[in-house]
Amino acid sequence: MQHVILGNGIAGVSAAEAIRRMDPRAGITMISDEQTVPYSRPMISMLLDGSAAPEQLPIRAERFYEDLGVTALLGKRVDAIDLQARRVALAGRAPVPFDRLLIATGADARRVEAQNDGLQNIFTMRRREDVQAMLAALGGTRRALVLGGGLVGFKAAYGLMKRGCRVTMLITSAYPLSMQVDETAGKMILDELLHHGLEVRVGVSVTAFEGRTSVSGAQLSDGGKVACDMVVIGKGVTPALDFVPLDRIDVDLGIRVDKHLETGAEGVYAAGDVAQCTDIARGRPWINAIWPEAAAQGRTAGMNMAGRAVAYRGSLGRNVMRVFDLDVMTLGLVDPPDDGTCTALTWQDPRRRMYRKLVLRENVPVGAVLINAVEQGGVLLSLIRNRAPLAIPPERLLEPSFNVRQLMGWG
């Protein structure tokens, strides 16, 4: 049996290890457009802010491919998948045949539509090499412009501030982290960023960049201008799917898969940031592009590829982060649609800068936001993931003495 895995991120690595555990003799080929051993993508922001060294990023040893018995084709981007011939086409080499194929190519950074976006010192922050290029340009950087108020934008802004840059963040939404938190939490985070010296401008975007060879400024949608000698684009990602045959593999937000992570094409699987799985909180297909879900999907896909029928229970979005002096945890569906299907309960103590929100659907928790009160977030995560109904009136959440353990009648 010949297994081919496209991508060497945590989804691809987890799949390869699962296949090898179940079948010591199977052929495994991993193809990646990065020329390195697998590394922790979430840690590249720590490389930027100086809290991690380059040698701390790898998640597997240098001999990983050799020790696992994997043929590694690195620095190769897939051109096409020929499902009829069961082979993968790569530029500059012979096609790679497969019996089972896993698409785990992750996502590419989303660019912005603005004039002169090809100037030097305009970066995305998706790969280790992106951060290495940013660090190399820091010597001539005094003012940095960060586009986007999501996780990547915040981490880029924080890292550049720690490196001594004056940073301006532009956000098209009304508050930062709008895809992760609700309005109340978002405005608490905005106040925290401003308090610590980050210039944040909301409801505005870039229309053009200025400069001869390197960027020196940006023109804004409100008619204003910002001087900068570095730009970081943190506008999210798009699944890396340009090689996927859309007439044979169903693609929506990402590649649609069944409970075994198999696509509509027999023997072809998808996992990680390209895979659109059932979201436990939403109850419908969604992409939760986070590390632990990618790892779980990779393991599940690998076991199914090797012949063991294992169902993936669904994904659940969650994030834990520290925004200067705020601890923030988000779980599941934090900003539900206004269609009457969900109820949101909140509790807030402005003096202690604490905020709690619980989203319920028919007495079952489907989402939560915790700020500076995150200690019992793991219990809430378990309740949401297991679709567990509450054993007490949900209004108890509004009490200052509320204890998450009481949700299941535990105390």
Side-chain angles (χ1 to χ4, degrees), residues 320-356:
V320 181
M321 68 203 89
R322 186 165 182 84
V323 181
F324 291 106
D325 296 324
L326 295 182
D327 291 318
V328 181
M329 174 179 282
T330 66
L331 305 168
L333 187 61
V334 302
D335 220 355
D338 188 19
D339 57 7
T341 61
C342 295
T343 302
L345 302 176
T346 63
W347 171 83
Q348 190 170 9
D349 184 342
R351 184 179 60 83
R352 291 186 289 171
R353 298 198 302 166
M354 295 173 63
Y355 175 63
R356 279 176 168 157

Side-chain angles (χ1 to χ4, degrees), residues 34 40 52 112 178 208:
E34 294 192 76
S40 172
V112 295
S178 60

Side-chain angles (χ1 to χ4, degrees), residues 70-93:
V70 168
T71 299
L73 302 178
L74 304 181
K76 306 291 183 182
R77 194 167 179 99
V78 178
D79 283 343
I81 300 172
D82 187 335
L83 293 175
Q84 184 172 358
R86 310 293 285 183
R87 62 187 186 183
V88 175
L90 305 176
R93 62 155 291 136

Side-chain angles (χ1 to χ4, degrees), residues 34-342:
E34 294 192 76
Q35 300 187 43
T36 179
V37 294
Y39 65 91
S40 172
R41 198 175 300 278
M43 286 183 65
I44 64 172
S45 62
M46 300 172 66
L47 186 63
L48 178 63
D49 67 32
S51 61
E55 59 270 18
Q56 294 177 281
L57 267 62
I59 59 173
R60 298 296 185 271
E62 288 288 339
R63 290 176 50 89
F64 166 72
Y65 302 112
E66 183 179 353
D67 290 345
L68 200 63
V70 168
T71 299
L73 302 178
L74 304 181
K76 306 291 183 182
R77 194 167 179 99
V78 178
D79 283 343
I81 300 172
D82 187 335
L83 293 175
Q84 184 172 358
R86 310 293 285 183
R87 62 187 186 183
V88 175
L90 305 176
R93 62 155 291 136
V96 180
F98 65 83
D99 297 304
R100 299 284 185 272
L101 176 69
L102 174 65
I103 303 173
T105 43
D108 294 323
R110 184 179 286 118
R111 304 290 300 188
V112 295
E113 294 184 4
Q115 296 179 19
N116 303 322
D117 61 354
L119 290 170
Q120 294 178 13
N121 290 353
I122 298 177
F123 303 98
T124 56
M125 198 172 86
R126 177 65 182 170
R127 302 174 176 223
R128 179 168 63 178
E129 63 189 35
D130 297 331
V131 173
Q132 290 171 331
M134 292 165 62
L135 291 173
L138 275 179
T141 300
R142 295 295 177 267
R143 291 179 59 96
L145 178 64
V146 175
L147 308 182
L151 288 172
V152 173
F154 165 70
K155 291 178 179 179
Y158 177 76
L160 291 170
M161 288 179 69
K162 285 196 67 176
R163 294 285 185 174
C165 298
R166 182 177 176 183
V167 181
T168 299
M169 176 184 284
L170 302 185
I171 306 175
T172 55
S173 57
Y175 52 86
L177 300 174
S178 60
M179 298 297 292
Q180 286 79 35
V181 302
D182 66 353
E183 183 177 5
T184 299
K187 290 185 175 178
M188 292 175 68
I189 293 169
L190 176 58
D191 289 343
E192 185 72 3
L193 297 180
L194 295 172
H195 175 72
H196 283 271
L198 178 64
E199 181 183 353
V200 183
R201 300 180 63 175
V202 301
V204 65
S205 58
V206 166
T207 59
F209 297 108
E210 299 177 336
R212 292 188 176 181
T213 57
S214 295
V215 67
S216 61
Q219 300 175 17
L220 309 183
S221 58
D222 63 359
K225 292 185 178 182
V226 174
C228 58
D229 34 37
M230 177 183 288
V231 174
V232 181
I233 303 171
K235 302 291 288 184
V237 297
T238 56
L241 300 173
D242 56 336
F243 56 88
V244 173
L246 301 181
D247 59 331
R248 298 286 302 279
I249 295 178
D250 189 15
V251 173
D252 182 25
L253 299 174
I255 299 175
R256 290 185 179 272
V257 293
D258 63 17
K259 65 181 181 180
H260 298 115
L261 300 178
E262 189 172 15
T263 72
E266 184 179 357
V268 179
Y269 299 76
D273 295 1
V274 299
Q276 186 173 338
C277 310
T278 297
D279 182 286
I280 292 173
R282 290 175 173 83
R284 60 187 176 90
W286 196 259
I287 296 179
N288 287 308
I290 57 175
W291 183 272
E293 293 294 355
Q297 291 170 21
R299 285 192 299 270
T300 303
M303 288 188 284
N304 282 287
M305 292 169 71
R308 179 180 296 174
V310 178
Y312 178 64
R313 63 190 302 185
S315 68
L316 182 64
R318 66 267 196 195
N319 285 284
V320 181
M321 68 203 89
R322 186 165 182 84
V323 181
F324 291 106
D325 296 324
L326 295 182
D327 291 318
V328 181
M329 174 179 282
T330 66
L331 305 168
L333 187 61
V334 302
D335 220 355
D338 188 19
D339 57 7
T341 61
C342 295

